[in-house]
Amino acid sequence: MSDKQSQKAGDNAQQVQAQTVVINNYYGTDIDEKGARVIYQKKSPQAIEDYTQEAQCIAQLRINNFESVLIPRMVVEDALKAFADPSFQNLLVEAQKVAASTERQADYELLAELITQWTQVKGDRMSRAALRGAVKIVGELDDVALLGLTVLSFLPITPILGQERIPIELEKWNKLLEQLLDSPLPQDIKWLEHLAVLGAVRIHNVAFSRTLKEKVRQALSGYVDVGILNGSDDHQMAISLLESAGLPSSGVLVEHDLNKDYLRVNLPHRGMIDKLQVGDSGGSMQFLTDSQKNTIERLYDLYVQDENLREQNVDKFIKEWDRWPTLRAMREWWESWSISSITHIGFMLAQANAKRRGLL
């Protein structure tokens, strides 16, 4: 670009010459662990500048402890390049301020998860705003309230993301939730009021319908939709489609756990076709091509549409769910709090805590 610019104007006209300013985006700059620690330490004085000299030593020690949690977490997520982003540095100072006011390791871990999430949502301003709000209240969160918030958020959206049979997936989920319950679930409304003050939930004057049945119908439709009648013409059509696409019918279509007369696509719901994997000739698992994904979509079009049978499957799923003591207790607890809804800030906190506890 030439540095020379010229303008012409009439008599008595004012001339203003503007030169193009190029602002480099350094977000993609490579930063190693050492560089990230340098930036972290350069920002920490901003987090403690308002404290008296007597408090600054304690605050700096806590910020150092937070560093020992945050940096390794971001190394694992390959997110160190975010340290070059000015907006990230602003968030980092906010997190350091919170870390300076708490001595709890769990708070440092939760802050680290929230910051890591911030690097993953990229240009989603709504999520980034929610994460920034979540960071600010970490130091005020009650442990029992955070536990309740996490269960309230994630009980209906169970991490049944594999390709195992329903009893196996529910058993795994039951074990994970047993690990989460290191203290009793809250029983009075104080925990909700606490979260409402912090902006993590809303309390409604009138209760609304909240049942696991409804969530199963929506989030786990792949387990309760009727499927393809075994041995029918549609079944033969499905086999032909799979063979034409180079897909094994035995790996894609499985016997319906809730009705042995039917077969279903081996996914929790139709929107997860991108996650379906099949074995190749060498025994390794491969994701589907676009053409193969279209074939799976066509299989769903062969499903029997019978609402009575589908509702029977929903009832059977809930019965299977209730076979596990922890799942049943958590379902009953979750359904009892139908006067509350979770804000975006609350969801981000719950998601970060779920990751911290190994649920996601």
CSV table of all heavy atoms in Angstrom, one decimal, residues 115-137:
chain,number,residue,atom,x,y,z
A,115,ILE,N,-12.9,-20.5,32.4
A,115,ILE,CA,-12.0,-19.8,31.5
A,115,ILE,C,-11.7,-20.6,30.3
A,115,ILE,O,-11.6,-20.2,29.1
A,115,ILE,CB,-10.7,-19.4,32.2
A,115,ILE,CG1,-11.0,-18.3,33.2
A,115,ILE,CG2,-9.6,-18.9,31.2
A,115,ILE,CD1,-9.8,-17.8,34.0
A,116,THR,N,-11.5,-21.9,30.5
A,116,THR,CA,-11.2,-22.8,29.4
A,116,THR,C,-12.4,-22.9,28.4
A,116,THR,O,-12.3,-22.8,27.2
A,116,THR,CB,-10.9,-24.2,29.8
A,116,THR,OG1,-9.8,-24.2,30.7
A,116,THR,CG2,-10.6,-25.2,28.7
A,117,GLN,N,-13.7,-22.9,29.0
A,117,GLN,CA,-14.9,-22.8,28.2
A,117,GLN,C,-14.9,-21.5,27.4
A,117,GLN,O,-15.3,-21.5,26.2
A,117,GLN,CB,-16.1,-22.9,29.1
A,117,GLN,CG,-16.5,-24.3,29.6
A,117,GLN,CD,-17.7,-24.3,30.4
A,117,GLN,OE1,-17.8,-24.6,31.5
A,117,GLN,NE2,-18.8,-23.9,29.7
A,118,TRP,N,-14.5,-20.4,28.0
A,118,TRP,CA,-14.5,-19.1,27.3
A,118,TRP,C,-13.7,-19.2,26.0
A,118,TRP,O,-14.0,-18.6,25.0
A,118,TRP,CB,-13.9,-18.1,28.2
A,118,TRP,CG,-14.2,-16.7,27.8
A,118,TRP,CD1,-15.2,-15.8,28.1
A,118,TRP,CD2,-13.3,-15.9,26.9
A,118,TRP,NE1,-15.1,-14.6,27.5
A,118,TRP,CE2,-13.9,-14.6,26.7
A,118,TRP,CE3,-12.1,-16.1,26.3
A,118,TRP,CZ2,-13.3,-13.6,26.0
A,118,TRP,CZ3,-11.5,-15.2,25.5
A,118,TRP,CH2,-12.1,-13.9,25.3
A,119,THR,N,-12.6,-19.9,26.0
A,119,THR,CA,-11.7,-20.0,24.8
A,119,THR,C,-12.4,-20.9,23.7
A,119,THR,O,-12.0,-20.9,22.6
A,119,THR,CB,-10.3,-20.6,25.2
A,119,THR,OG1,-10.5,-22.0,25.5
A,119,THR,CG2,-9.7,-19.9,26.3
A,120,GLN,N,-13.4,-21.7,24.1
A,120,GLN,CA,-14.0,-22.6,23.2
A,120,GLN,C,-15.2,-22.1,22.5
A,120,GLN,O,-15.6,-22.6,21.4
A,120,GLN,CB,-14.3,-24.0,23.9
A,120,GLN,CG,-13.1,-24.7,24.4
A,120,GLN,CD,-13.4,-25.8,25.4
A,120,GLN,OE1,-14.5,-25.9,25.8
A,120,GLN,NE2,-12.4,-26.6,25.7
A,121,VAL,N,-15.9,-21.1,23.1
A,121,VAL,CA,-17.1,-20.6,22.5
A,121,VAL,C,-16.8,-19.5,21.4
A,121,VAL,O,-17.7,-19.1,20.7
A,121,VAL,CB,-18.1,-20.0,23.6
A,121,VAL,CG1,-18.5,-21.1,24.5
A,121,VAL,CG2,-17.4,-18.9,24.3
A,122,LYS,N,-15.6,-19.1,21.3
A,122,LYS,CA,-15.1,-18.2,20.2
A,122,LYS,C,-16.0,-17.0,20.1
A,122,LYS,O,-16.1,-16.2,21.1
A,122,LYS,CB,-15.0,-19.0,18.9
A,122,LYS,CG,-14.0,-20.2,19.0
A,122,LYS,CD,-13.8,-20.8,17.6
A,122,LYS,CE,-12.9,-22.0,17.7
A,122,LYS,NZ,-11.6,-21.7,18.3
A,123,GLY,N,-16.7,-16.8,19.0
A,123,GLY,CA,-17.4,-15.5,18.8
A,123,GLY,C,-18.8,-15.5,19.3
A,123,GLY,O,-19.5,-14.5,19.1
A,124,ASP,N,-19.2,-16.4,20.2
A,124,ASP,CA,-20.5,-16.4,20.8
A,124,ASP,C,-20.5,-15.5,21.9
A,124,ASP,O,-20.2,-15.8,23.0
A,124,ASP,CB,-20.8,-17.9,21.2
A,124,ASP,CG,-22.2,-18.0,21.8
A,124,ASP,OD1,-22.9,-17.0,22.0
A,124,ASP,OD2,-22.7,-19.1,22.0
A,125,ARG,N,-21.0,-14.2,21.7
A,125,ARG,CA,-21.0,-13.2,22.7
A,125,ARG,C,-21.9,-13.5,23.8
A,125,ARG,O,-21.6,-13.1,25.0
A,125,ARG,CB,-21.3,-11.8,22.1
A,125,ARG,CG,-20.2,-11.3,21.1
A,125,ARG,CD,-20.4,-9.9,20.8
A,125,ARG,NE,-19.3,-9.3,20.1
A,125,ARG,CZ,-19.0,-8.0,20.0
A,125,ARG,NH1,-19.9,-7.1,20.5
A,125,ARG,NH2,-18.0,-7.6,19.3
A,126,MET,N,-23.0,-14.1,23.6
A,126,MET,CA,-24.0,-14.5,24.6
A,126,MET,C,-23.3,-15.4,25.7
A,126,MET,O,-23.4,-15.2,26.9
A,126,MET,CB,-25.2,-15.1,24.1
A,126,MET,CG,-26.1,-14.2,23.3
A,126,MET,SD,-27.6,-15.0,22.8
A,126,MET,CE,-28.4,-13.6,21.8
A,127,SER,N,-22.6,-16.5,25.1
A,127,SER,CA,-22.0,-17.4,26.0
A,127,SER,C,-20.8,-16.8,26.7
A,127,SER,O,-20.6,-17.0,27.9
A,127,SER,CB,-21.5,-18.6,25.2
A,127,SER,OG,-22.6,-19.4,24.7
A,128,ARG,N,-20.1,-15.9,26.0
A,128,ARG,CA,-18.9,-15.3,26.7
A,128,ARG,C,-19.4,-14.3,27.8
A,128,ARG,O,-18.7,-14.3,28.9
A,128,ARG,CB,-18.1,-14.6,25.7
A,128,ARG,CG,-17.2,-15.5,24.8
A,128,ARG,CD,-16.1,-14.8,24.0
A,128,ARG,NE,-15.2,-15.8,23.5
A,128,ARG,CZ,-14.1,-15.5,22.9
A,128,ARG,NH1,-13.8,-14.2,22.6
A,128,ARG,NH2,-13.3,-16.4,22.5
A,129,ALA,N,-20.5,-13.7,27.6
A,129,ALA,CA,-21.0,-12.8,28.6
A,129,ALA,C,-21.5,-13.6,29.8
A,129,ALA,O,-21.2,-13.2,31.0
A,129,ALA,CB,-22.2,-12.0,28.1
A,130,ALA,N,-22.1,-14.7,29.6
A,130,ALA,CA,-22.5,-15.6,30.6
A,130,ALA,C,-21.4,-16.1,31.4
A,130,ALA,O,-21.4,-16.2,32.7
A,130,ALA,CB,-23.4,-16.7,30.1
A,131,LEU,N,-20.3,-16.5,30.7
A,131,LEU,CA,-19.1,-17.1,31.4
A,131,LEU,C,-18.4,-16.0,32.2
A,131,LEU,O,-17.9,-16.3,33.3
A,131,LEU,CB,-18.1,-17.6,30.3
A,131,LEU,CG,-18.6,-18.9,29.7
A,131,LEU,CD1,-17.7,-19.2,28.4
A,131,LEU,CD2,-18.4,-20.1,30.7
A,132,ARG,N,-18.4,-14.8,31.7
A,132,ARG,CA,-17.8,-13.7,32.5
A,132,ARG,C,-18.6,-13.5,33.8
A,132,ARG,O,-18.1,-13.2,34.8
A,132,ARG,CB,-17.8,-12.4,31.6
A,132,ARG,CG,-16.9,-11.3,32.2
A,132,ARG,CD,-16.9,-10.1,31.3
A,132,ARG,NE,-16.3,-10.4,30.1
A,132,ARG,CZ,-14.9,-10.3,29.9
A,132,ARG,NH1,-14.2,-10.0,30.9
A,132,ARG,NH2,-14.4,-10.6,28.7
A,133,GLY,N,-19.9,-13.5,33.6
A,133,GLY,CA,-20.8,-13.4,34.8
A,133,GLY,C,-20.6,-14.5,35.8
A,133,GLY,O,-20.6,-14.3,37.0
A,134,ALA,N,-20.4,-15.7,35.3
A,134,ALA,CA,-20.2,-16.9,36.1
A,134,ALA,C,-18.9,-16.8,36.9
A,134,ALA,O,-18.8,-17.1,38.1
A,134,ALA,CB,-20.2,-18.2,35.3
A,135,VAL,N,-17.8,-16.3,36.2
A,135,VAL,CA,-16.5,-16.1,36.8
A,135,VAL,C,-16.6,-15.2,38.1
A,135,VAL,O,-16.1,-15.5,39.1
A,135,VAL,CB,-15.5,-15.6,35.8
A,135,VAL,CG1,-14.3,-15.0,36.6
A,135,VAL,CG2,-15.1,-16.6,34.9
A,136,LYS,N,-17.4,-14.2,38.0
A,136,LYS,CA,-17.5,-13.2,39.0
A,136,LYS,C,-18.1,-13.7,40.3
A,136,LYS,O,-17.9,-13.1,41.4
A,136,LYS,CB,-18.2,-11.9,38.5
A,136,LYS,CG,-17.5,-11.1,37.5
A,136,LYS,CD,-18.3,-9.9,37.0
A,136,LYS,CE,-17.5,-9.1,36.0
A,136,LYS,NZ,-18.3,-7.9,35.5
A,137,ILE,N,-18.9,-14.7,40.2
A,137,ILE,CA,-19.6,-15.2,41.4
A,137,ILE,C,-19.1,-16.5,42.0
A,137,ILE,O,-19.6,-17.0,43.0
A,137,ILE,CB,-21.2,-15.4,41.1
A,137,ILE,CG1,-21.4,-16.4,40.1
A,137,ILE,CG2,-21.8,-14.0,40.7
A,137,ILE,CD1,-22.9,-16.7,39.9
